[in-house]
Amino acid sequence: LQHATPKMESVYADSSRAVPVMFVHFPGRCPLRDVEALARQHGYTCENGRFCHVALGDGQANKAEDAIDGCVSEGGWVLLDNVHLAEYWLPTLEAKLEAAASHGHKQFRCFMSVEAGADFLVFPASLIQRSVKVVLQPPSTLKANVLEGFARLHDEREGDGQRSGELNQMCFVLSFLH
């Protein structure tokens, strides 16, 4: 049984300032951690201002536009979470990404997440066509779910180098109960 995460480096290799990444996710699966980890590997963090994460919803369109504008000009990465919640704003997003494709910084990347049950008919066709699409499905069995949860906890704790047997057991129990 393998830990089922997309190969983020190959997703990144397929993207560019002109080719955004669209994560289509099911409940129980979110691309935020995967994208943050990839960004960190390439030197993009929220702390250094080169990675922005905006959860779209009530009144977040202006914040998303500011994040896109900043990342396009400075060469940052932006993750727009739950794009399907801002249907009214999709034509603006399409226009901004078209402008970024021709005039944006070469290092600019746009990542978007969309819930699988969303109505894709409201999305501009060019936005869907130009994007790299990645489908994130939750684990299908209890065993796979526990292993993925444990792997995520293990990955987060990896940097401190002070994992004890008891801590590993607690992480396993937490992932099982979650």
Side-chain angles (χ1 to χ4, degrees):
L1 184 63
Q2 293 287 322
H3 176 60
T5 43
K7 303 289 186 220
M8 292 301 290
E9 279 299 329
S10 66
V11 170
Y12 169 70
D14 291 342
S15 71
S16 70
R17 68 180 180 191
V19 181
V21 177
M22 182 180 290
F23 291 99
V24 180
H25 64 91
F26 289 81
R29 199 59 208 270
C30 176
L32 177 60
R33 286 188 181 166
D34 295 329
V35 174
E36 279 183 331
L38 178 68
R40 202 172 314 109
Q41 287 174 0
H42 289 271
Y44 296 86
T45 64
C46 293
E47 291 79 25
N48 68 16
R50 298 188 68 204
F51 178 75
C52 298
H53 169 241
V54 180
L56 289 163
D58 278 343
Q60 296 300 309
N62 290 337
K63 185 176 179 183
E65 285 185 42
D66 292 343
I68 291 171
D69 292 342
C71 289
V72 165
S73 65
E74 300 294 322
W77 291 9
V78 63
L79 171 61
L80 304 173
D81 224 347
N82 299 318
V83 174
H84 59 281
L85 296 178
E87 290 178 18
Y88 66 92
W89 183 69
L90 291 173
T92 303
L93 174 61
E94 177 186 30
K96 289 200 169 284
L97 292 178
E98 283 178 10
S102 57
H103 305 350
H105 194 285
K106 282 185 169 185
Q107 298 303 317
F108 168 70
R109 294 292 187 276
C110 180
F111 300 88
M112 301 172 280
S113 78
V114 180
E115 207 168 85
D119 182 8
F120 282 90
L121 295 175
V122 300
F123 280 77
S126 67
L127 184 61
I128 294 173
Q129 289 170 349
R130 96 164 39 141
S131 299
V132 172
K133 275 85 58 197
V134 179
V135 178
L136 300 175
Q137 294 183 349
S140 58
T141 65
L142 177 63
K143 182 178 180 181
N145 198 17
V146 169
L147 287 174
E148 182 171 323
F150 184 67
R152 286 188 181 275
L153 283 171
H154 185 68
D155 290 346
E156 288 175 9
R157 305 258 336 138
E158 201 168 274
D160 66 10
Q162 296 183 350
R163 286 184 307 278
S164 67
E166 291 174 353
L167 181 60
N168 281 337
Q169 290 173 355
M170 284 187 349
C171 288
F172 181 80
V173 169
L174 282 173
S175 26
F176 181 80
L177 294 175
H178 179 68

